[in-house]
Each structure stands twice: as C-alpha cells, then as structure tokens.
Amino acid sequence: MSTPETTETAALAEETAGHGDISVGVAGSSNSGEATASATRITPGNALRPEDIALAVSRGTAKPSEDAAELALRLGDDALILAQRLGHWISRAPELEEDIALGNIALDQLGHARSFLSYAGGLDGRSEDDLAYFRREHEFRSVELFEQPNGDFAVTIARQFVVSYYQFELYRRLAQSTDATLAGIAAKAVKEVDYHRDHSAQWVLRLAHGTEESRTRMIHGFKVIWPYVDELFRDDELTARLSESGVAVQPSSLRADFDRLTGEVLAEAELDVPQVPAAPGGGRRGFHSEHLGYLLAEMQVLAREFPGASW
Amino acid sequence: MASQTLQSVPAEPSPARHETRHEMSPEDAARRDAEGQAYFDKVMAEDSRIEPRDWMPPAYRKTLLRQISQHAHSEIIGMQPEANWISRAPSLKRKSILMAKVQDEAGHGLYLYSAAETLGQPRDQMMQDLMAGKAKYSSIFNYPARTWADMGAIGWMVDGAAIANQVPLCRASFGPYGRAMVRVCKEESFHQRQGFEILLELSNGTPEQKQMAQDAVNRWYAPALMMFGPPDDDSPNSKQSMAWNIKRFSNDELRNRFVGMMMEQVKVLGLTLPDKDIRFNEDTKKWEHGPLDWEEFHEVIAGRGQCNAQRLERRREAHENGAWVREAAAAYAEKQAKKSAEKVSAA
Amino acid sequence: MTTPEPHSGNVWPIWEVFVRSSRGLSHVHAGSLHAPDAAMALRNARDLYTRRNEGVSIWVVPADAIASSDPDAKGAFFESPQGKDYRHATYYTKSEGVKHL
C-alpha cells in the first residue's frame, strides 16, 4: 500500500506492517516468551490440498484408472452437493456458534469434493470446475441422500449424522487403497469426517432429549432421511471391480459398522431406527430426485453465463 | 482499603454478575467515583488500558457499548450480502474462499459481542435490539450485492475501509475491544486481498467481465467512503472518542488516507474510481475526494436503504427458527446437570 | 466436566476459552463464547478459536466460575512484592564475574 509520507501515515503503516503476514504471531514476537504463547498465533498448517491433487494430475504424476476416476466422481459429487446444501446455513443457523460449526463442515466437504473431482478429471483433462459447472444433471453421480433439502435444523442434523457415519467408514478403508491418490485424499478426509460424526451425534442427543418439540422434530428428521440410507451401501459392477483390484471395498461391507455405531447413538438418544421403505435411488447411474435440478441450476448459473471465463 | 476479598466474578464478567457490590453510603460512593476518575484519567494519560471491572465514566461505558455492539451487528448483517453469492460462486475455489470469509464474519461478530458483554450487556439483549431496529449497523450492508463482481468490490473496498478503521482500534483504550480487534485484523488480512484478486481476474477477463467489475467499483465507491462516518465537522462524538483513546484518527483523516491507497491500487486493477475530483493536495499533504451524498447516507441510516427491511427480516427469521434448537440444548444441559447432581448426592 | 447453572429459556451461558498454542506452552485466554454445556462449549471453541491452527489443546470454563481479585485493590493487593529486590538475582552484585553463578 502506498500512502503519502506523513508522520501519521507512517504510524498507520507501521501498524499495518504485520497485516497480511500470517506468520506475524511467530516471527513478530520472538523476543518475548509470553507472546509466543499467544492464543492468536495462526498458521496455514500442512496437509494435502485440492490444489496439490490438481497439480499432480496436470504433471501426470497422478493419473486415475477409468474405474478410479468414476469412483472419485461419485464421492466428489456426494461431497459437492452436500457442501452446496450446507453452505445455505451460513447466516441462518440457530446460533452464531453454529453458523461457524456448519460452515466448517461445509468447507471440509467442499475440500473433499475438490480433491476428488480434480483427480477424476485427470482421466480426460477436465478441471474440477469443468466437472462441477459444465456437466448436466444426469451426468452427476451423487446419491439421493446428499441432495435432500435442508429442512429444519433436525433434518439437516439427521442427514449429517447419516452422511458422516457413512463417510467415516468409507474413508477409513479408502485410506488403505491401492490407489495412492485416493488413499491420500481419504486419509485427510477421514479425520475431518470423524469430527462431523461427533458434531452430529452431539446434536442428535440434545435434540432427542431436549424438549418435546425438539424430540418430535428429531424423530421426523430421521424419518424423512432414512429412506435414502440404503442406497449408500449398494454394490454394483464398478464397486465389484474396484474391490477386486484393492482400490475400494464394496459399499455393502460398510453397513455392519455403520449400523452398529449409529445404533449406539440412537440407543442413547432413545430413538428407534425408522421403519420406512428404502427409496429406489439411482444417483450412481444419473437418476436423481427432483431436488438436484434446482440445486444445480443455482450452482451453475453464473459459470454458464460466461463459458470459458476465468474467475 | 486492603480488602482481600476474592469475589466470585468472571475475569471478563458475565452481565448478570456485574457490579455485585455491597450497598455504599453516598459519601463512600462519591469518594469511590473520585478515586475511579483519577485512576481512569491516569490510564488515559499513560495511554494504558481500561479493563472491564475497572471504574469507568458512565458515558465511556455507554459509548463503548454502542460502538462495539454496532460493530458486532455490522459483522453479522454483513454476512448476508456475501452469503447471497455462496451458492452461485463461479468456481469451487471461489466458493471455498467466500464461505470461509462469511464464516469469519460470524466469528468476528462473536468476538465483538463478547467484548461488549464484558460491559454488562448480554448478547441476547443486543440481538433483540438489532432485530427490533433499535440498534444500528454499518449502512453499507443495506446496499444489494447485485453481481459476482460485488464480491470483489466488497472485499477490496468495504473490507479495505473496515481494515483502515480497525487497525487503529487494535490500540483502543478498552482492553477487550482492542484484543478482539487484534484477532479480527489478523484473520481479516485475507479478506481484502481476495476481493482485489476477484476484481483483477474480472478486469483481465472478457469485456463483459471487466464491465461487471467497473460497475461494481462504481456502485460501492461512495458507500465505502461513507463507512468512515460523517465529515469531522458533523461528527460530534468523535472528539470525545479520541480523548478517550478509543478512536485514534478522525473520520476524515482515515477516509483521505484510504482514498490515497485506493488511487494507487485501482491502477493495478486497470479500473477507475468514479470520482474525478480525487487529488493529492500538496499544501496539506493529504488526499482529497469529491463530494459525497450525505443525504443518502442519513436516509440509509434511518432505515430507508434498499435492503434494510430485508436484512433485518432475514436475521429475525434465523433467530426465530433457531429458538427451539437453543431451547432444546438448554433443556438438555439442565437435565444432564440435574442427573449428575443426583449422582453426587446419592454417592 | 462441570456445567454452570443452566439458564432458563433459550439463552446459553458464557464460557471463557483458553488455548494452548503448542506443546510446552501454557493455555492462554483466547476469548469467550456461548454454549449450552461444557461438551458443546469445547466444540464451539474448537470451531471458533482454532480454525487457523491456533491450538493443540483447549480449556473451557464457565465464565461465572472464575474468581477474580478486587479491581479496586490495585495498589494494596499487589503492593507487597514491590521493593523486595532480594528476590531477584540482580540484587547480588558481589558475585559478578564469578563463572557459572
């Protein structure tokens, strides 16, 4: 920033000097032990980022097989659609603290989506944005659970509860994948999803045991979400091939752990597993619920107004 | 005098427990006020800090409470124009950035409400005042975010103006406010840069994109300059705030300095500012800008801006829709506390 | 974990948050937040105060569980240690120049 030199602006410039330097908490305070104990010291940390995947793909150091790319597309689409849903809560949550919590979960999901999609695009050179913004509805591979509307807070929590217990079991195993890139993405994601499990479980307990109203709403939330649980665990030809080559396990093999762990929380919440018929689904083959079209229309509108533009 | 009583009050006291002192005779109270004022004056003279449980002049407390809560409200209402574009962000990278930024604003609102709470006002009360239209927030957030380029203009200009305002506030004489601002400023360092980047991308993009960027800069320029508050000769409270070391620079000083910074930066963007009167005055060594429409400013403050009603309604809606959730969590906590108390008494 | 007196209605109590920025350092006051109970306070603190890697450990304390010294006792309460220089190494000048002392 350039400002005319006066004593006053010099003072301001000095104050601003640390601004924009995220290492300021470390470097700027090396003279004082107390200051290094600062609770405001911030760092970007060190973890696998979507950009790293995209870079590895563009350099050719990471290239998915056709099957691995299809799996990455499925998982990327799941996470992307959920992030889009969760993003709506920011500025609308029941309390400010929860705005932040749901924002964190949405950002985690969006990060996973970007990594998976970047990798999936490695098959034919498409970018994460090509895949997110320029595919048509029937080309998306997400299952129906993820596109379910937010509903009230209880519906959102029910959806998140199912998603995070499913994703935890999935990523935990995918971290052992013979595909190094998928394993890397999953290893980072599983830690974040573990926290999502905790967050949603805490809320399931509070809503179930809170007030009469919250219990009624929680029960309703599970009732509207549960028809879409089955689809998460369906095997098909792709997953059979992936399982054979050690890239990913069959979805059906996650079910027992999912049932056991969600069952523990539901038991503590004194809630029954809803007895509702499973929806036929079809998202993995491009057959979606009525909700997805609207979600995509909103998400893609601007990018499609300016095809080929850079942002 | 040598009272060794340790009182059960929080370090940054919660409102309910504030000033839990025994009854004082009028003489004692007067002496205490005199001693308090003397100490307060000394702190001001030394440019040191006042902490929540220190004696402070009632007007100082009131001014701070108003300023900090307005600041907090601005962060919370300020989430809305940007949240409006999260779902339509044109790339996934931009979507992440915008989401993180709006999330930060919720955090900044939280830090600031916490600072205000140390003055004895519960957050819930501040929220009620906001929703009832009794409390003010920055008028800038009553303008609509019409296009994606507004995300750039808001970041570059609105956050830029906010940062210029906030950096000196890190040294505000009230400890909790200064500390909140340090945290806010550290986190906000990326907000202005991401906005600048959005505009730069657009400016270097297609002619339509560049036009979108210029249009956004044109619309946000004057409202951004007005964020520094009315001109000095029309800002009766500024002087007192400066004497109390809350404000460090006058509205016009900060505004002029900001204009100078933007003048340089807009060149890099390849865009222009919609003000042909900007010039550097060699005599005063200060930047000057063209006239601003202060009537519009007062209209927006008075609730007649484009989005006033919409912003408040949205906040009310979120608050009311969340009531049953907050009640449920409170009820759960109560039940758990009762359970563990029963366990203790049974043991 | 303790829980402060539950507040009626839908207003959550205040918690003070202390963050250890890295191993070997003490927990430092980072700020406050609202939460219905200790478990949620910890999680909210994690989401709010450590989203830029600020910490490796968090304490949350109900704000009204903190006892603090009387603000009016500034002089009296903290006067005693002043002038007791014999508590400080610099008081002992005769050993200057002696190695390892």
Side-chain angles (χ1 to χ4, degrees), chain B residues 3-4 7 9-12 21 32 39 53-54 104 110-111 114 117 123 183 187 190 326 329-330 333-334, chain C residues 6 9-12 14 16 29-30 32 34 36 48-49 51-52 63-64 66-72 74 77:
Chain B
S3 97
Q4 297 272 334
Q7 303 174 356
V9 287
E12 316 279 25
R21 330 197 113 261
R32 182 163 161 258
Y39 184 78
R53 299 186 64 233
D54 286 335
D104 268 357
L110 265 172
Y111 305 154
S114 297
E117 281 185 297
R123 183 166 97 191
R183 191 173 274 277
E187 296 185 351
F190 94 83
R326 297 192 300 276
E334 201 167 342
Chain C
N10 60 28
V11 177
W12 296 342
I14 304 179
E16 300 300 335
H29 186 235
S32 17
H34 288 255
L48 180 60
Y49 287 106
R51 65 189 193 286
R52 283 183 172 81
D64 50 15
I66 294 177
S68 75
S69 57
D70 183 344
D72 289 346
K74 284 174 197 80
F77 201 57

Side-chain angles (χ1 to χ4, degrees), chain B residues 294-339:
Chain B
W294 290 105
E295 206 153 309
E296 176 183 305
F297 176 78
H298 290 297
E299 280 293 293
V300 178
I301 292 254
R304 291 185 285 272
Q306 287 185 62
C307 298
N308 296 57
Q310 175 193 335
R311 301 279 187 249
L312 283 187
E313 182 51 28
R314 164 83 166 275
R315 184 90 290 276
R316 271 194 289 268
E317 196 180 50
H319 193 77
E320 280 162 21
N321 288 345
W324 69 269
V325 179
R326 297 192 300 276
E327 267 160 33
Y332 178 82
E334 201 167 342
K335 285 180 196 169
Q336 294 297 108
K338 209 177 272 174
K339 251 192 226 168

